[in-house]
Amino acid sequence: MRTLQAAVIGLVFTAFAAGAQAQGLTGTLKKVKETGSITVGYRESSIPFSYLDNNGKPIGYAMDLCGKIVDAVKADLKMPDLKVNYVPVTSSNRIPLMDNGTIDLECGSTTNSVARQKQVAFGPTYFVINVTAAVKKDSGINSFEQLGGKNIVTTSGTTAVPLLKKYEKTKDLEFKEIYGKDHAESFLLLADGRASAFVMDDILLAGQIANAKDPAAYKILPGSLRQEPYSMMLRKDDPQFKALVDKTIAGVMTSGEINKIYTKWFTTAIPPKGINLNFPETAAIKEAFAHPNDKGVE
């Protein structure tokens, strides 16, 4: 996978800017120019990356970063009044909706994997997570090994699904898997006692717990099935738009602006309940910010 060092990014984008004017627009930028609009895909309950506030408006860390990309598109195409459309997506339909042109940019909690790169492209990594599980504190469950024979919920269409199946086979355990259509539904299955654990990315679990009726009733297991990078998703084989995305987000990172955006969503109170997730930058996240890259997990 290609590493997007700042110097290289600058050269790539300079070439993009000159080439776009000399050779004409292609891909997403051509579509945006011709239609006068760009369509952003968002998640409804991926707190704090992409979710709805009390007014039904999509907000979050990923939405802020994608907003930087939209601003760059407006500036580059000289379209200050560009219309921005927002379309809700799920774990299951986000890639098909990107492939068929329904959305131009997906801003949520999507893992950048080598397998997915065969279908779509990604911008620079903006978060790094551990896939783990949330359980009720009074359940007596303290490790993945104790989940054998129990109902386990995860969200349909996520990378947690194959990871859970692999773990089950490797450890010779048997789970009864239940699938929620989104993270809110999956957490509800745990809260209602229909599942003993919710397997998902640590920060998404933290977001669901923080917004639960009784946050103190839950805990996140210390184990990890895998570490994964998150990024915004875009169409494959679209070099002009990819160059703009890479240059824009890498610039936010190398300038240090990313730290302010991160603080806003992960270590201060956030809507709708004013809860602080208290999730400071990890070593892996700091590394991703220091060396912007679009490397996918195997």
Side-chain angles (χ1 to χ4, degrees):
M1 296 299 112
R2 180 167 61 93
T3 298
L4 309 173
Q5 301 294 348
V8 176
I9 292 168
L11 291 174
V12 168
F13 193 70
T14 297
F16 153 76
Q21 298 302 320
Q23 301 173 15
L25 298 172
T26 61
T28 298
L29 293 179
K30 180 181 180 181
K31 176 188 175 187
V32 170
K33 186 71 173 180
E34 292 177 346
T35 63
S37 66
I38 186 169
T39 302
V40 176
Y42 69 90
R43 301 295 295 275
E44 293 182 304
S45 61
S46 287
I47 302 168
F49 296 91
S50 180
Y51 65 105
L52 298 175
D53 65 12
N54 286 332
N55 296 315
K57 175 186 176 182
I59 59 172
Y61 174 71
M63 296 303 295
D64 279 2
L65 291 176
C66 284
K68 298 289 183 181
I69 295 170
V70 171
D71 288 343
V73 170
K74 290 180 178 179
D76 207 76
L77 298 182
K78 297 179 175 57
M79 299 177 69
D81 298 322
L82 177 68
K83 182 181 179 181
V84 184
N85 301 315
Y86 295 97
V87 172
V89 301
T90 67
S91 299
S92 298
N93 69 17
R94 55 191 167 184
I95 291 179
L97 291 179
M98 179 64 69
D99 284 342
N100 68 21
T102 299
I103 59 174
D104 302 310
L105 183 66
E106 190 264 348
C107 314
S109 51
T110 299
T111 294
N112 176 1
S113 70
V114 172
R116 284 175 173 169
Q117 286 182 1
K118 295 177 182 179
Q119 299 174 276
V120 294
F122 293 87
T125 295
Y126 55 58
F127 202 84
V128 181
I129 60 88
N130 284 295
V131 180
T132 183
V135 299
K136 290 185 176 180
K137 288 182 178 178
D138 62 5
S139 67
I141 298 172
N142 298 301
S143 68
F144 277 95
E145 286 78 9
Q146 293 176 288
L147 296 177
K150 301 185 184 302
N151 291 346
I152 309 300
V153 65
T154 190
T155 304
S156 179
T158 65
T159 55
V161 176
L163 286 176
L164 191 57
K165 291 182 180 296
K166 181 179 179 181
Y167 183 86
E168 184 178 23
K169 184 177 180 180
T170 301
K171 297 296 184 179
D172 195 26
L173 297 173
E174 289 188 6
F175 306 132
K176 182 177 181 182
E177 296 161 13
I178 304 172
Y179 301 102
K181 67 182 177 71
D182 57 27
H183 304 318
E185 182 175 275
S186 294
F187 188 78
L188 182 61
L189 290 171
L190 171 64
D192 287 350
R194 285 176 282 173
S196 297
F198 175 18
V199 175
M200 188 44 58
D201 309 342
D202 53 2
I203 184 58
L204 296 179
L205 294 175
Q208 292 296 323
I209 291 172
N211 284 276
K213 292 181 179 179
D214 182 12
Y218 305 90
K219 66 180 180 180
I220 296 176
L221 297 183
S224 174
L225 297 182
R226 185 170 70 169
Q227 192 173 78
E228 298 181 345
Y230 278 0
S231 189
M232 62 279 296
M233 185 172 65
L234 46 149
R235 267 182 287 281
K236 189 176 174 64
D237 300 324
D238 189 356
Q240 285 187 355
F241 189 50
K242 172 98 167 89
L244 183 148
V245 170
D246 289 347
K247 186 261 184 181
T248 302
I249 300 304
V252 172
M253 292 177 176
T254 56
S255 70
E257 185 180 3
I258 189 69
N259 302 114
K260 296 179 181 179
I261 299 174
Y262 188 98
T263 296
K264 172 184 174 182
W265 293 103
F266 296 98
T267 60
T268 56
I270 61 172
K273 297 183 179 180
I275 295 171
N276 187 337
L277 297 181
N278 290 311
F279 202 97
E281 293 177 22
T282 63
I285 292 171
K286 290 178 180 179
E287 174 65 18
F289 293 167
H291 302 96
N293 71 89
D294 62 356
K295 184 176 181 180
V297 66
E298 295 288 344

